[in-house]
Amino acid sequence: MLVNGKPGNLISIRDRGLLYGDGVFRTLLAENGKARHWPLHYQKLKHDCIALGIICPEAALLSRQLNDLLLEHPDGVVKLIVTRGEGERGYAPPNPGKSTVIWDISQPPSYPDDRGEKGIKVCYCRLRLGSQPRLAGIKHLNRLENTLATAEWSNTESDEGLLMDGNNNVIEGTRSNLFMVSQGKLITPELSRCGVAGVQRDRVIDWAARHKMPLQTRDIAQNELLHADELFLVSSIIGLWPIRELEQRHWVNFPVANLIRRDLDGENA
Amino acid sequence: MLVNGKPGNLISIRDRGLLYGDGVFRTLLAENGKARHWPLHYQKLKHDCIALGIICPEAALLSRQLNDLLLEHPDGVVKLIVTRGEGERGYAPPNPGKSTVIWDISQPPSYPDDRGEKGIKVCYCRLRLGSQPRLAGIKHLNRLENTLATAEWSNTESDEGLLMDGNNNVIEGTRSNLFMVSQGKLITPELSRCGVAGVQRDRVIDWAARHKMPLQTRDIAQNELLHADELFLVSSIIGLWPIRELEQRHWVNFPVANLIRRDLDGENA
């Protein structure tokens, strides 16, 4: 673990990351000392910092710190947090602020190997995501909605929960982005009012462009999901998992999801 | 500063308070070694912990820690944070969790003394509060909305910013609760979809009941404010500040606000 470039696992109780969730983060997989798609994660981190007015550390600095971390721990789930740092008491952001940079690495995930092939069972969460265009898409530290929603399904047979907004549009999984395959088209939810736009989602969108598969980003009503040809969830940690069961509907074959998954996994190598 | 009962100003980078804003907090004033309205703050803390499924430390334990803190620092702004503590990687809350308890104390606020008498200038924030009934009213650590909204007015002539929801109902100040006086009635915004229900707001509601002044809790449309006889803001830190200026409207006399302020201040003694 590194805090502001030095080995350590502690931060100040006056850090705005703790006080207000005033920061952003990334989670990515490391294998054999290499972090997957780090440049894409850095782009997202920078975008999210700018959106919140947080000073984003230079790519070269973070790359060096990441390398230091991976020299000691070559495999696992890497977490990078950048907060707005410390300031005076109160909500007003310090100007200029000095960001806090935190690196952590955990054990590689222990999900069953066959989820990519066989798919997973998912449920709907009762919690509805609030609408906040100023924060939508950003992977920020205000994640109580994800915590409460995950508590709904984490002790059940489901492997992930789907989150809807107040108008029953399906937005994402609690820790993943959603894609629907319908009549040869890919459709993924609009994330301009809520949700997190992950790196793996961008990779699927990029795959679709390269393979000339039509892709729409738009609201997806809950009742559309049961009529989908395929559904799948993606994230930097899980990769791509097709959905095999959602309420009364079961899917057996996932030809498009399989194709995309194999291509994306191949690009990880 | 105390962390889990021991002197210190550091917490783990794996604390869910940092990772997800998964915790609640209180801010209160201490004078001459006595914390104002601590029993009311404890009630709120407990209510908020229960709402999020966080284990709330016993009142006796927190009171002892508060006393330890005030022995060293008898005056200032006390902040108490209770987080869900550490857990496995991921959003799922640990079960059972071990809460983290953090105490901090800062300098007493340095607001001009005459704000209670003369009132303040306020503006409307552009940011609209998102609607999330599961979190509404709770003083939790997901405070990016307050941070972004405060950044809108903190370098202007305004002393506070008013926050509205997506339907242009006025909900609160960025760090205070709002009351409107209209035709001998007190009206305060409904906080069932967004906003924070503070201790000082409860004290005003209680004052109204004791003094047989009619009080309504309901949605307040933005355009109602300009027709108000009086407007005032309250919090445990600011006490009670009347609003003297909001856009084109100016208020000169605040008879009801003054009456309530003097009564509440008297009960602080």
Side-chain angles (χ1 to χ4, degrees):
Chain A
M1 282 99 103
L2 290 171
V3 178
N4 289 329
K6 290 176 192 143
N9 58 3
L10 300 169
I11 61 151
S12 165
I13 59 170
R14 290 190 174 175
D15 194 281
R16 295 175 60 98
L18 170 68
L19 299 179
Y20 309 129
D22 193 5
V24 298
F25 71 106
R26 308 301 321 164
T27 38
L28 55 158
L29 275 184
E31 274 189 332
N32 299 320
K34 190 167 181 318
R36 281 192 192 162
H37 309 293
W38 163 243
L40 297 179
H41 280 280
Y42 182 77
Q43 274 175 34
K44 281 277 185 197
L45 183 83
K46 187 159 186 177
H47 168 276
D48 290 354
C49 280
I50 290 170
L52 297 182
I54 292 173
I55 294 168
C56 186
E58 295 293 328
L61 175 73
L62 292 184
S63 297
R64 271 200 309 277
Q65 293 179 349
L66 176 57
N67 282 336
D68 288 352
L69 187 76
L70 296 181
L71 275 177
E72 281 210 46
H73 305 279
D75 298 279
V77 176
V78 173
K79 184 153 190 164
L80 167 61
I81 300 174
V82 176
T83 82
R84 205 187 301 271
E86 293 187 48
E88 298 289 302
R89 198 186 71 75
Y91 292 123
N95 189 8
K98 194 175 167 310
S99 308
T100 300
V101 180
I102 299 164
W103 289 97
D104 192 10
I105 186 161
S106 315
Q107 293 296 313
S110 57
Y111 304 123
D113 280 341
D114 59 358
R115 287 189 174 179
E117 291 284 344
K118 296 196 174 161
I120 61 167
K121 177 182 162 96
V122 302
C123 61
Y124 288 112
C125 297
R126 291 185 305 277
L127 179 137
R128 293 295 183 270
L129 292 169
S131 171
Q132 180 47 273
R134 291 284 298 278
L135 297 175
I138 301 172
K139 203 169 171 85
H140 55 68
L141 295 173
N142 279 201
R143 300 261 75 103
L144 269 171
E145 288 185 326
N146 302 68
T147 293
L148 295 178
T150 302
E152 292 187 31
W153 63 264
S154 61
N155 292 318
T156 71
E157 286 182 355
S158 291
D159 304 307
E160 172 65 302
L162 297 182
L163 284 162
M164 287 181 273
D165 68 12
N167 296 316
N168 287 354
N169 295 305
V170 186
I171 304 296
E172 60 186 1
T174 59
R175 64 191 194 293
S176 56
N177 285 121
L178 174 72
F179 286 85
M180 175 165 85
V181 183
S182 181
Q183 301 177 319
K185 269 205 312 261
L186 280 170
I187 305 160
T188 195
E190 176 69 35
L191 300 181
S192 57
R193 300 178 311 274
C194 48
V196 176
V199 158
Q200 192 78 339
R201 175 177 180 267
D202 279 359
R203 292 185 67 215
V204 175
I205 291 171
D206 179 64
W207 180 95
R210 283 187 280 131
H211 291 78
K212 309 271 191 288
M213 180 173 263
L215 182 141
Q216 285 187 323
T217 303
R218 64 161 172 84
D219 287 339
I220 298 179
Q222 180 183 15
N223 59 28
E224 289 187 73
L225 290 201
L226 296 180
H227 304 292
D229 297 328
E230 299 176 43
L231 295 173
F232 61 90
L233 296 167
V234 302
S235 90
S236 294
I237 306 305
I238 69 175
L240 187 157
W241 289 347
I243 294 176
R244 66 169 160 72
E245 187 177 345
L246 170 63
E247 295 192 327
Q248 68 275 37
R249 175 83 201 266
H250 293 250
W251 290 263
V252 179
N253 296 308
F254 328 104
V256 175
N258 277 337
L259 179 65
I260 299 174
R261 181 171 54 79
R262 285 188 206 118
D263 278 2
L264 295 187
D265 284 358
E267 293 166 16
N268 291 334
Chain B
M1 284 100 102
L2 289 171
V3 177
N4 289 330
K6 290 177 191 142
N9 57 3
L10 299 168
I11 61 150
S12 166
I13 59 169
R14 291 191 174 173
D15 194 281
R16 295 176 59 98
L18 169 69
L19 300 179
Y20 310 128
D22 192 6
V24 299
F25 70 107
R26 309 301 320 165
T27 39
L28 55 157
L29 276 183
E31 274 188 331
N32 300 319
K34 192 167 179 321
R36 281 191 192 163
H37 310 294
W38 163 243
L40 297 180
H41 280 280
Y42 181 77
Q43 275 175 32
K44 281 277 186 197
L45 182 83
K46 188 159 185 178
H47 168 275
D48 289 355
C49 281
I50 289 170
L52 297 182
I54 292 173
I55 294 167
C56 186
E58 295 292 328
L61 174 73
L62 292 184
S63 298
R64 271 202 308 277
Q65 295 180 348
L66 175 57
N67 282 337
D68 289 351
L69 185 78
L70 296 180
L71 276 176
E72 282 210 45
H73 305 278
D75 298 279
V77 176
V78 173
K79 184 151 190 165
L80 167 61
I81 299 175
V82 176
T83 82
R84 205 187 301 271
E86 295 186 47
E88 299 289 303
R89 197 187 70 76
Y91 292 123
N95 189 10
K98 194 174 166 309
S99 307
T100 300
V101 180
I102 299 164
W103 289 97
D104 192 9
I105 186 161
S106 315
Q107 293 297 311
S110 57
Y111 304 123
D113 279 342
D114 58 358
R115 287 190 175 180
E117 291 285 344
K118 295 195 174 160
I120 61 167
K121 177 182 162 96
V122 303
C123 61
Y124 288 112
C125 298
R126 292 186 304 279
L127 179 137
R128 294 294 183 270
L129 291 170
S131 172
Q132 181 46 273
R134 290 283 300 277
L135 297 175
I138 301 172
K139 204 168 171 82
H140 54 69
L141 295 173
N142 279 201
R143 300 262 75 103
L144 269 171
E145 287 185 326
N146 302 67
T147 292
L148 296 178
T150 302
E152 291 187 30
W153 63 264
S154 60
N155 292 319
T156 73
E157 287 183 354
S158 291
D159 304 307
E160 172 64 305
L162 297 182
L163 284 162
M164 287 181 273
D165 67 12
N167 296 316
N168 287 355
N169 295 304
V170 186
I171 304 297
E172 60 187 0
T174 59
R175 64 191 194 291
S176 56
N177 286 120
L178 174 72
F179 286 84
M180 175 165 85
V181 183
S182 182
Q183 301 176 318
K185 268 205 312 263
L186 281 170
I187 305 160
T188 195
E190 175 69 34
L191 299 180
S192 57
R193 299 178 311 274
C194 49
V196 176
V199 158
Q200 192 78 340
R201 175 176 181 267
D202 278 0
R203 292 186 66 216
V204 175
I205 292 171
D206 179 63
W207 180 94
R210 284 186 279 129
H211 292 79
K212 309 271 189 291
M213 179 171 265
L215 183 142
Q216 285 186 324
T217 303
R218 64 161 172 85
D219 286 339
I220 298 179
Q222 179 184 15
N223 59 26
E224 288 187 72
L225 291 200
L226 295 181
H227 305 292
D229 298 326
E230 300 176 44
L231 294 172
F232 61 90
L233 295 166
V234 301
S235 88
S236 294
I237 306 305
I238 69 174
L240 186 157
W241 290 347
I243 293 176
R244 67 169 159 72
E245 187 176 345
L246 170 64
E247 295 192 328
Q248 69 274 39
R249 176 81 201 266
H250 293 249
W251 290 264
V252 178
N253 296 308
F254 328 105
V256 175
N258 277 336
L259 178 65
I260 298 175
R261 182 172 53 80
R262 286 188 206 116
D263 278 0
L264 295 187
D265 284 358
E267 293 167 14
N268 291 334

